[in-house]
Amino acid sequence: MEKTTLTGRIVRRDDPDYNEARTNINLSLQRYPDIIVFCQNKHDAVNALKWARENNVPFRIRGGRHSYENFSLLNNGLVIDLSEMKKIRVDKDKRLVSIEAGAELGDVYRTLWRYGLTLPAGTIANVGITGLTLGGGIGYLTRSAGLTCDRLLQLEMIIADEKEGAKLITVNRAKHSDLFWASQGGGGGNFGIVTSMMFKAVPISYVTVFSVTWDWDDFDEVFNTWQNWAPFTDNRLTSSIQFWPKEVNRIEALGQFIGTKDELKELLAPLMKAGNPTSGMVKTVPFIRAAAFFNSPGGNEPQKMKRSGSFIEKPLSTRAISALKYYLQHAPNKNASVWQQSLGGAAGRIAPDQTAFYYRNAIIAQEYITNWTSPEEERQNVRWIEGLRTSLSRETMGDYVNWPDIDIRNWLRTYYGGNVDRLRQVKTKYDPENVFRFEQSIPPLRRSPFF
Ligand SMILES: Cc1cc2nc3c(=O)[nH]c(=O)nc-3n(C[C@H](O)[C@H](O)[C@H](O)COP(=O)(O)OP(=O)(O)OC[C@H]3O[C@@H](n4cnc5c(N)ncnc54)[C@H](O)[C@@H]3O)c2cc1C
């Protein structure tokens, strides 16, 4: 049989742009692949998978480079990078949107905005749409329009094939419905290389955004008010709250509402009564301006970082709030924070087993965040995150697979809850030889003796 050759834009270790080509979001986890192939079309991706298998070279799939644990990178192997495949096609009347796998959220928002459409997705403009969708996809339209994966209709995916090495298939509710189910929250990199996705978009025009800030002294009151308000208020409103270390003396709630300024002001009344807000803003803007507002510039840059997370199904007790507060009083640096986003609404109307995204009953997704500059600070920062996560774990559930944490031991159950067994069955059916694997990938039920 004729040997496959790599096609696409190929970057190797001695190429001048190698460093830029290999660098992912998390600078504390440096990885040095031998080859990075930037696919220009799906045939390049098919060739890359075939080549890796014929030559027994380990590989990873990459899009927007935002995996917290750099799961889209590896040492000494091949990175199959889709980021130069970004075409977006829109059928405005049917609201059907076809997106190549390498598009970033910013590309998606800008293109769809021209048609008065959008997708409920995340905040940071250079996060990849594919990694985000495969793991679920939360953002400031979650409560009104659901998770990104809830709008997914179809994927084109290259899977491992016994005879040919690689095979491109179409995956939807009718064809390979089990793999479609797994692609709605099962996480990236597990089953195959996605080359494009089709979504049903939502109409959008003007939205009303808000921001409120408080000082540290209002911590308890604000925490308690927000957690009992944000997940239960009008479903057209999705909001977040971020708590910084005591020394930073800042708490900030943000949100997006599909409705008018007056309506939002009324909905915000309970929150505005909590403590003494130090600033407040409510503004009606075109949706694309709101997307720019939530795209915090600091989040876009590669940095030394550690993040983790959990879900909350009922408001935290005073004990848990005190524990969280204690950690923020003893934070490793000023960049540490705890961020929460309200869930429920459209995302909560779907049963936990209807898609692979299990935590449908959660009212809040909670993220533990830190970043630092010098390598000596790493241990302290990682310990802070892990201490915080475990100290809250009696009252929290799991973790969002798009916020992966290599330090979680029981990670399969943590990410997938009651959907683990079904995900492993899908894995066994489509990738019995575990061709698609990384540090926390879903293992097939029976591992081949060759691994
Ligand atoms: C600053 C920042 C902000 C974030 N904001 C949000 C947010 O608002 N909402 C939210 O839900 N999440 C958010 N996330 C998490 C984000 O959803 C995940 O990091 C997601 O996996 C990123 O996908 P990516 O393509 O950018 O990353 P990559 O590192 O390229 O890929 C992530 C994973 O997906 C796999 N993958 C990538 N492309 C493909 C493909 N074509 N086929 C198959 N597998 C593939 C990779 O192998 C890897 O395992 C954020 C992350 C960061 C770092």
Side-chain angles (χ1 to χ4, degrees):
M1 205 171 67
E2 211 177 301
K3 282 265 191 188
T4 306
T5 45
L6 284 174
T7 54
R9 183 168 76 85
I10 293 161
V11 178
R12 295 176 198 269
R13 280 178 188 262
D14 46 8
D15 286 328
D17 52 350
Y18 174 76
N19 250 338
E20 192 286 322
R22 75 166 181 88
T23 303
N24 266 23
I25 188 82
N26 192 344
L27 295 180
S28 72
L29 302 165
Q30 297 290 351
R31 303 276 185 269
Y32 297 87
D34 287 331
I35 307 176
I36 303 160
V37 55
F38 288 91
C39 303
Q40 306 298 307
N41 54 53
K42 55 192 172 192
H43 305 296
D44 293 340
V46 169
N47 285 343
L49 179 56
K50 282 187 178 175
W51 181 90
R53 298 193 69 197
E54 284 167 18
N55 295 286
N56 221 357
V57 172
F59 68 92
R60 294 292 162 80
I61 313 163
R62 191 171 69 171
R65 307 187 185 190
H66 273 61
S67 166
Y68 290 177
E69 298 288 358
N70 283 358
F71 288 154
S72 50
L73 268 187
L74 79 178
N75 284 320
N76 307 323
L78 170 72
V79 172
I80 305 174
D81 186 295
L82 284 289
S83 66
E84 294 180 1
M85 292 170 57
K86 289 180 188 291
K87 280 190 215 92
I88 301 178
R89 285 200 318 267
V90 181
D91 180 333
K92 184 175 190 247
D93 296 335
K94 293 192 177 136
R95 287 198 267 128
L96 293 180
V97 180
S98 182
I99 304 179
E100 279 193 329
E104 295 172 355
L105 300 185
D107 304 322
V108 174
Y109 290 145
R110 276 189 303 274
T111 305
L112 300 200
W113 173 245
R114 296 206 299 267
Y115 300 88
L117 296 172
T118 197
L119 285 177
T123 50
I124 300 297
N126 60 358
V127 167
I129 184 72
T130 306
L132 177 118
T133 303
L134 295 176
I138 61 170
Y140 289 94
L141 288 173
T142 300
R143 301 186 71 247
S144 61
L147 303 178
T148 319
C149 71
D150 299 340
R151 316 300 303 183
L152 189 62
L153 296 175
Q154 184 164 295
L155 309 100
E156 300 283 312
M157 196 190 287
I158 302 164
I159 56 168
D161 181 68
E162 223 174 285
K163 277 202 215 123
E164 301 290 319
K167 183 167 79 175
L168 183 70
I169 59 170
T170 299
V171 180
N172 55 37
R173 279 199 183 86
K175 283 187 226 159
H176 307 291
S177 58
D178 45 4
L179 187 52
F180 183 74
W181 172 88
S183 303
Q184 292 180 290
N190 280 300
F191 302 102
I193 307 171
V194 174
T195 56
S196 72
M197 297 180 289
M198 189 194 282
F199 296 90
K200 181 91 174 175
V202 293
I204 200 86
S205 56
Y206 281 78
V207 294
T208 306
V209 296
F210 82 85
S211 145
V212 191
T213 59
W214 296 265
D215 286 343
W216 174 267
D217 287 345
D218 289 330
F219 193 102
D220 297 75
E221 198 182 341
V222 169
F223 196 104
N224 217 18
T225 307
W226 188 86
Q227 69 167 356
N228 283 293
W229 166 82
F232 308 105
T233 187
D234 191 314
N235 287 341
R236 292 173 297 161
L237 173 57
T238 306
S239 62
S240 68
I241 192 159
Q242 191 156 11
F243 300 89
W244 279 273
K246 184 176 181 194
E247 58 173 329
V248 179
N249 194 26
R250 182 177 171 84
I251 299 167
E252 181 175 27
L254 298 175
Q256 177 169 267
F257 177 62
I258 314 293
T260 66
K261 206 167 154 176
D262 287 345
E263 283 175 293
L264 179 56
K265 279 187 172 165
E266 214 169 290
L267 292 171
L268 284 171
L271 193 63
M272 298 308 287
K273 279 190 210 130
N276 297 298
T278 48
S279 73
M281 177 277 285
V282 180
K283 207 170 178 178
T284 300
V285 292
F287 170 75
I288 199 67
R289 288 261 308 279
F293 170 69
F294 294 121
N295 176 27
S296 74
N300 287 329
E301 296 310 317
Q303 49 193 233
K304 293 187 172 67
M305 60 188 256
K306 178 74 185 176
R307 293 186 176 197
S308 188
S310 62
F311 292 98
I312 295 175
E313 288 195 343
K314 50 179 203 260
L316 293 186
S317 69
T318 316
R319 190 204 68 85
I321 298 173
S322 302
L324 199 149
K325 196 173 170 187
Y326 172 87
Y327 272 88
L328 286 168
Q329 280 163 325
H330 299 87
N333 59 57
K334 289 181 183 170
N335 306 324
S337 67
V338 173
W339 182 87
Q340 300 185 329
Q341 192 205 294
S342 58
L343 298 176
R349 282 198 288 272
I350 291 174
D353 62 356
Q354 203 176 321
T355 66
F357 185 94
Y358 180 69
Y359 294 99
R360 298 287 182 171
N361 297 326
I363 56 170
I364 292 169
Q366 171 169 261
E367 195 176 10
Y368 316 125
I369 301 173
T370 181
N371 63 70
W372 59 93
T373 45
S374 85
E376 307 85 68
E377 296 171 73
E378 176 170 335
R379 194 152 169 259
Q380 188 198 5
N381 278 270
V382 173
R383 280 174 66 173
W384 184 79
I385 292 280
E386 292 310 309
L388 178 55
R389 182 175 65 76
T390 47
S391 82
L392 297 180
S393 63
R394 265 204 285 170
E395 292 194 24
T396 59
M397 306 279 296
D399 180 21
Y400 176 29
V401 68
N402 274 350
W403 297 341
D405 176 355
I406 200 76
D407 297 297
I408 296 177
R409 274 204 211 110
N410 188 12
W411 49 270
L412 262 182
R413 193 61 62 189
T414 303
Y415 299 144
Y416 305 118
N419 287 334
V420 174
D421 294 347
R422 199 163 152 202
L423 279 164
R424 292 193 68 187
Q425 281 161 13
V426 177
K427 175 73 176 180
T428 311
K429 181 170 164 190
Y430 290 92
D431 185 19
E433 301 302 323
N434 208 18
V435 170
F436 294 96
R437 59 182 188 272
F438 55 93
E439 292 91 326
Q440 290 186 336
S441 54
I442 298 168
L445 287 168
R446 287 175 310 278
R447 299 204 68 189
S448 152
F450 301 110
F451 288 104

